[in-house]
Amino acid sequence: MLSRLPLNTGNYHQTIAYVYNHKVVHNPDAMRIRLLSLLTLFLLAAPVVFSQNDAFTDGMSWVNSGYTMSQQSPDFNGTNCQNIHYTLSTTSSLGFYYDPVLVNGTGAVFPALSANSGTTMDITITFNTPVSNFGMRILDLDEDNQGDAGAPEEYLDNVSPPPASIQLLNGVNPLFINGSTITSDDGNNSNPNNNPGAWVYWAGEVTTITFTYNRFGEEYEFVIDSIHFECPCVSEPFDFFDDATICEGTSTTLDATTANATYQWSNGATTPTISVTTPGTYWVNAFVGNCPKTDTAVISLIVVPDLQLGNDTTLCEGSTLVLNANPAVNPIVWQDGSSSQQYNVTASGTYIATGTFNSCPVRDTVIVTLVPYPVVNLGSDQSICEGTALTLDITQPGCSYLWSNGNTTPVQSFSTAGLIWGRASLGSCATTDSLLLTLLTLPPDPLPNDTIICQGDTVHLQLENNGTIAYEWYNGSTESEISCWEAGFYWVESTQNGCSRIDTFNLALYPALTDFFSYDSLLTICEDKNALIGPSVTSPLISVIWADGHTSSLISINDAGVYQFTVSTPCEEETHTITVTEERCFCSVYLPNTFTPDNNDVNELFVTQYDCPFDSFELVVFNRWGEIVFSTTDPDLAWDGTYQGKTVQDGTYVYKLTYISTEMATYKELLGHVNVLR
């Protein structure tokens, strides 16, 4: 079909005239000039540049007899370079002529008459439309033929627009550009009589080139040998292939086979044919020589509707799956040859529907797998005791699960009364079962709260005895009551309606005062010194109250006197006194009677407190068997309540402190006890 879309654009460069710089040689038999036509290429979307150089020939109908002068060349209108026209002309009566047999080649020679010295000629090259990459090859623009010390004999000036660059012909005999002047003069008088020449190029687009030829001697000419410019190709539509419509999943072949051609397809292929599987617009350039033949085809796609049989699926045993084929596709043929739009499935298998849509085949397949229903049996309704749980298991291979409490694991435990259900699903096939769960009430707690009694007292534990509750005690007794008088833990298991619970009772005894506290009844303190006095109490069940109302076991005093305190439990009470005397001393030494190394950062160490230096010092601590558990001669070294790396037992330890103070210079010995409590 004919092209409907623009494709690649080609431009054709053609060099039209050669320029040689030489002495004039008259040839009356060769007064004609001919320009080779520029080839016209297809107008395509992206430029493709071609170029060619040709000498002047008689293609422009130059006069071919005698010595004929011309002021304007015939109009060039090449058959290949369509609609491009140009002429060479001058306003000078000296004119120019075409010489095909010059020493260095063909060319247009300016001026035609060489007998006049001091010649100037205005020369114009005119195009009917702007062209780009214009170039002109100039020869024989001599600089110094008369030996006038470098004065130029020939040059071009007033060149408009000014040229952009020069390309030498062979690296020697150069021409030079100086603004709008072209000359062989390099300023050093170094290029005389050596036939200079070069390609001169203009930048951008040009329509008209004008310049003035200047000559200051006789029988000297210059030659325009060639011109060069771009010529666009003209599109040549060609009928290679037609528009086509294809079905989904099929293809069509576009064939542009042409003898001696190279190919450029819109998809980048360079083969004579391409296979098309997707819709779109496709074009081809088939190049035979420089310019292509082109064609375009629009490929449309028939969108085939889905038969809508759905995805592969499962079918529960005993159920029917109805397959409904898309009514837009008709007729329908199923795998068994039936032709209804619907097909009822009751067994596992592969089900296939085929049909046509706008002559395109349509096919859909669905695989159906028959699945048995899972077996779920939670059993009958059940009762459980409060505080226990009922565990149910519905595990089956390949199933998913859902319970009434929202959990999705196959095994679940329930401890709340109510309706319980569980569901096992295999694909879309699900089975659910349920039961009613009832909670049975536990027997009430039969034992009272833990308590403390005095030594020698008895606690009677009396339990409910209504005939419905059975008891079993820690000692095997099944009676409903028991008496306790020893400290310890007591337990009983009670059972009612098949539900049992165990209750415990802790009985403690108040300590005997004489066993759990001690004190020094006589103490001596230094005048004007504070001291701590009081009993050492080793049971938290014993309370202490001083005559002044203090309730701590130790009080701070700084005066001599008799201090009274009472120790008591709910079972007994004793009142005691501590007599404190004062002595005048310059050194106060104090050791506490209790410390608690229990790692709570309070009263952790047994350490000497003093306010004077010592000449000698020794502290020794003994246990109840007379073993030394701690000794030091350093008054600042404390006992942490350990012996041989192990913690000592709680209890009372005796200490002996001997020292000589620097102030008193007298020997002192103190005996006392310290209580270790945790």
Side-chain angles (χ1 to χ4, degrees), residues 197-269:
W199 274 101
V200 181
Y201 290 98
W202 277 256
E205 291 186 340
V206 297
T207 303
T208 301
I209 305 294
T210 62
F211 54 90
T212 300
Y213 168 65
N214 298 271
R215 185 182 71 175
F216 294 94
E218 297 181 3
E219 298 186 6
Y220 288 93
E221 298 86 11
F222 85 103
V223 180
I224 300 177
D225 178 76
S226 283
I227 64 172
H228 172 282
F229 60 91
E230 286 185 359
C231 176
C233 285
V234 177
S235 176
E236 182 185 351
F238 203 82
D239 192 4
F240 290 119
F241 34 69
D242 296 325
D243 294 346
T245 300
I246 60 175
C247 300
E248 285 183 307
T250 65
S251 64
T252 187
T253 299
L254 301 182
D255 190 345
T257 301
T258 304
N260 302 317
T262 59
Y263 306 91
Q264 178 188 9
W265 291 87
S266 54
N267 63 356

Side-chain angles (χ1 to χ4, degrees), residues 566-636:
T566 299
V567 291
S568 64
T569 68
C571 304
E572 58 180 320
E573 178 180 288
E574 293 180 0
T575 300
H576 300 273
T577 61
I578 297 175
T579 301
V580 178
T581 61
E582 290 182 330
E583 69 176 11
R584 187 169 183 80
C585 58
F586 296 96
C587 183
S588 175
V589 179
Y590 170 76
L591 285 168
N593 59 9
T594 303
F595 75 106
T596 57
D598 53 4
N599 297 319
N600 67 354
D601 295 328
V602 178
N603 198 23
E604 292 286 330
L605 301 173
F606 178 60
V607 62
T608 306
Q609 299 179 25
Y610 61 95
D611 59 3
C612 61
F614 297 105
D615 289 337
S616 66
F617 178 91
E618 182 179 27
L619 174 63
V620 182
V621 180
F622 304 89
N623 62 16
R624 59 191 297 183
W625 296 282
E627 292 179 293
I628 298 175
V629 296
F630 175 75
S631 66
T632 180
T633 58
D634 182 356
D636 295 321

Side-chain angles (χ1 to χ4, degrees), residues 171-201:
V172 297
N173 302 335
L175 291 177
F176 301 94
I177 295 176
N178 184 8
S180 60
T181 299
I182 302 173
T183 178
S184 61
D185 182 8
D186 61 358
N188 296 316
N189 193 23
S190 60
N191 294 293
N193 302 320
N194 48 9
N195 297 323
W199 274 101
V200 181
Y201 290 98

Side-chain angles (χ1 to χ4, degrees), residues 76-99:
F76 169 79
N77 184 9
T79 56
N80 289 327
C81 201
Q82 296 180 8
N83 300 319
I84 300 294
H85 306 266
Y86 72 87
T87 57
L88 281 73
S89 62
T90 178
T91 59
S92 171
S93 60
L94 298 178
F96 62 95
Y97 70 95
Y98 167 71
D99 191 337

Side-chain angles (χ1 to χ4, degrees), residues 58-328:
D58 61 358
M60 293 179 68
S61 301
W62 290 73
V63 177
N64 192 22
S65 62
Y67 179 81
T68 302
M69 181 182 71
S70 174
Q71 289 182 272
Q72 181 169 316
S73 68
D75 181 30
F76 169 79
N77 184 9
T79 56
N80 289 327
C81 201
Q82 296 180 8
N83 300 319
I84 300 294
H85 306 266
Y86 72 87
T87 57
L88 281 73
S89 62
T90 178
T91 59
S92 171
S93 60
L94 298 178
F96 62 95
Y97 70 95
Y98 167 71
D99 191 337
V101 291
L102 298 176
V103 174
N104 295 317
T106 62
V109 183
F110 294 85
L113 299 176
S114 61
N116 303 77
S117 63
T119 299
T120 61
M121 296 180 67
D122 293 328
I123 300 171
T124 303
I125 301 175
T126 304
F127 287 86
N128 68 316
T129 186
V131 296
S132 58
N133 294 329
F134 177 75
M136 179 171 63
R137 196 164 97 156
I138 302 172
L139 298 177
D140 203 16
L141 196 64
D142 288 344
E143 185 271 329
D144 188 7
N145 189 50
Q146 300 297 323
D148 55 0
E153 276 70 46
E154 293 178 286
Y155 62 91
L156 307 179
D157 65 0
N158 300 320
V159 182
S160 178
S165 62
I166 279 187
Q167 179 182 343
L168 301 183
L169 297 179
N170 53 15
V172 297
N173 302 335
L175 291 177
F176 301 94
I177 295 176
N178 184 8
S180 60
T181 299
I182 302 173
T183 178
S184 61
D185 182 8
D186 61 358
N188 296 316
N189 193 23
S190 60
N191 294 293
N193 302 320
N194 48 9
N195 297 323
W199 274 101
V200 181
Y201 290 98
W202 277 256
E205 291 186 340
V206 297
T207 303
T208 301
I209 305 294
T210 62
F211 54 90
T212 300
Y213 168 65
N214 298 271
R215 185 182 71 175
F216 294 94
E218 297 181 3
E219 298 186 6
Y220 288 93
E221 298 86 11
F222 85 103
V223 180
I224 300 177
D225 178 76
S226 283
I227 64 172
H228 172 282
F229 60 91
E230 286 185 359
C231 176
C233 285
V234 177
S235 176
E236 182 185 351
F238 203 82
D239 192 4
F240 290 119
F241 34 69
D242 296 325
D243 294 346
T245 300
I246 60 175
C247 300
E248 285 183 307
T250 65
S251 64
T252 187
T253 299
L254 301 182
D255 190 345
T257 301
T258 304
N260 302 317
T262 59
Y263 306 91
Q264 178 188 9
W265 291 87
S266 54
N267 63 356
T270 57
T271 54
T273 64
I274 61 171
S275 179
V276 177
T277 59
T278 57
T281 301
Y282 297 83
W283 54 258
V284 65
N285 291 333
F287 289 91
V288 180
N290 292 325
C291 291
K293 298 178 181 179
T294 184
D295 196 7
T296 302
V298 176
I299 305 301
S300 302
L301 181 68
I302 297 177
V303 179
V304 178
D306 189 350
L307 278 175
Q308 301 176 353
L309 297 187
N311 298 326
D312 295 345
T313 188
T314 57
L315 179 65
C316 302
E317 285 182 331
S319 302
T320 299
L321 173 66
V322 179
L323 300 177
N324 289 288
N326 189 343

Side-chain angles (χ1 to χ4, degrees), residues 233 278 343 367 378 497 499 583:
C233 285
T278 57
Y343 194 91
I367 298 175
L378 300 184
N497 298 325
C499 296
E583 69 176 11

